[in-house]
Amino acid sequence: MIPLVVVLGVLGVSASGPLIAATLAGTSVTALAIAFWRNAIAAVVMAAPVAVRSPRQFGRLGRREYLWSAMAGVALAFHFVCFIGSLTLTSVAASTALVCLQSGWIAVFGLLRGRRLPLPVLVGLGLAFAGVVAITGLDLGSSPQALLGDILALAGGILAGLYTMAGGKARQTMGTGTYTALCYGICAALVAVMALVTGQRLTGFEPEGWAGILAITVAAQLVGHTAFNYLVATLSPLVVSMFILLEIPGAALLAAAFLGEVLPAGIYAGLGLILAGLAVVVLGQRRTRREARAQAELGAD
C-alpha cells in the first residue's frame, strides 16, 4: 500500500509546478486564486466522507488536534504564496528544487531541538542534496528577478518543512480525512483574507483558467498533498520529505515536455543520487529503530 501511495503522491506534486506555471502564464488566474481554490475544493471533498460516516467527528477533536492542524494550515498557506509567487519569477526546475529542500530544514529543526541525527541519515541527506545540485546545476539567481524567485522558493521550502512536521503531530491522533479537511480549510480561509487585503480576485476567470485550477486541485492537492498527509501517520516527517525530493526531477521532466523548458543536463544523475539518498535514510532509520527496540528489550530483562 505505501509504495503505491508514494508513487501517486510524487506524480501528483510533480505536476504542481508545471500546471501552476502554465495556468498563470496562459490565463487571467491569480496566484492567490490557485492557492485558495485548490484548498477550498479539497477541504470540501475530504470533509464530505467524514461528515457522512461520522458527523460528530470534528466535535470530538481536542485542543491539541485543532492547534496542530491550525499550525499546519497557516504554514501551508504561506508556503503556497511563496511557491506560486516564485514560479512567476524563476524556472520551474529551480523553484521546485528549492521548495523541495524541506527535508534539510526538518533535519535542521531537529538539530535545533537537540535531536542527534544518525550517520546514515546525514549521509542520505548529503547524497540527495548532491542530486538536487546535479539537477539544478546551481543555476540559481541568474537575474535579479530569478534571485527573488529563488528566495521565495527557499522560504516556501522552510514553510513546507513546518507544515509536514505539524501534520505529523496532528496525524498521530487524527484520520487523514479529518486532518486534511481541517488543514486545507484553514489554509483556504487565510488565503482568502490575503486576497482581500491585496486586491487579488478569486473569481471571474475564463474557462481555461478554471480548467487549470481544477487540474491543479485534483493532481497536486487531492492526490499529491493528501497522499503525503496519509504517509506522515506511518512514516517520519523526514522520510516523507525525502520522498518529496522526487518531485524535483518529476517537475523538470514535465516542464520540459509540456512547457518547453530546457531539461537540466544532470537530471538522470540527480535522480539516481536522490533515490540513493532516500534508500540510505530509510534503511538507516529502520536500523536505528531495530537497535532501539533491542536495547529496550535488554533493559526490560
Side-chain angles (χ1 to χ4, degrees):
M1 181 65 176
I2 288 180
L4 176 60
V5 175
V6 170
V7 171
L8 290 174
V10 170
L11 290 175
V13 294
S14 294
S16 179
L19 283 173
I20 292 172
T23 301
L24 290 175
T27 70
S28 61
V29 172
T30 63
L32 290 183
I34 291 176
F36 171 76
W37 285 111
R38 67 183 287 180
N39 282 278
I41 294 171
V44 173
V45 171
M46 299 305 295
V50 178
V52 171
R53 292 195 307 264
S54 182
R56 297 181 180 179
Q57 181 65 42
F58 291 103
R60 288 197 293 263
L61 296 177
R63 180 180 177 183
R64 176 189 178 281
E65 286 83 4
Y66 279 110
L67 177 61
W68 286 115
S69 298
M71 290 178 63
V74 171
L76 183 61
F78 285 103
H79 157 75
F80 280 134
V81 170
C82 292
F83 176 45
I84 296 173
S86 74
L87 288 167
T88 65
L89 301 170
T90 189
S91 69
V92 171
S95 176
T96 305
L98 289 169
V99 162
C100 288
L101 292 179
Q102 57 181 277
S103 55
W105 292 113
I106 289 175
V108 169
F109 296 147
L111 290 172
L112 292 175
R113 290 158 52 198
R115 179 187 172 192
R116 294 181 58 186
L117 294 177
L119 181 60
V121 171
L122 294 174
V123 172
L125 284 171
L127 286 171
F129 292 158
V132 173
V133 172
I135 293 173
T136 62
L138 290 179
D139 186 22
L140 306 174
S142 54
S143 68
Q145 176 177 291
L147 178 60
L148 177 58
D150 296 338
I151 293 172
L152 285 174
L154 190 65
I158 296 172
L159 290 161
L162 293 172
Y163 158 64
T164 303
M165 293 174 66
K169 291 288 188 180
R171 287 285 284 113
Q172 290 176 1
T173 53
M174 297 176 69
T176 303
T178 308
Y179 164 67
T180 52
L182 198 56
C183 174
Y184 297 165
I186 291 170
C187 176
L190 182 55
V191 171
V193 172
M194 294 182 194
L196 181 64
V197 171
T198 60
Q200 286 195 36
R201 61 187 177 129
L202 299 179
T203 59
F205 310 121
E206 63 274 27
E208 294 82 1
W210 287 113
I213 289 173
L214 183 60
I216 293 165
T217 301
V218 172
Q221 198 72 21
L222 289 174
V223 176
H225 274 261
T226 301
F228 289 119
N229 282 323
Y230 170 84
L231 290 171
V232 293
T234 54
L235 302 174
S236 73
L238 179 61
V239 171
V240 172
S241 66
M242 290 288 289
F243 280 123
I244 293 174
L245 284 174
L246 294 172
E247 178 186 348
I248 300 170
L253 287 166
L254 291 174
F258 296 104
L259 301 181
E261 290 194 4
V262 178
L263 196 63
I267 186 167
Y268 298 111
L271 176 58
L273 286 168
I274 291 173
L275 288 171
L278 176 60
V280 170
V281 169
V282 171
L283 293 173
Q285 288 212 332
R286 285 181 179 175
R287 179 181 176 184
T288 301
R289 284 196 294 268
R290 285 198 301 268
E291 291 176 348
R293 283 197 296 267
Q295 289 177 358
E297 291 171 358
L298 288 173
D301 292 339

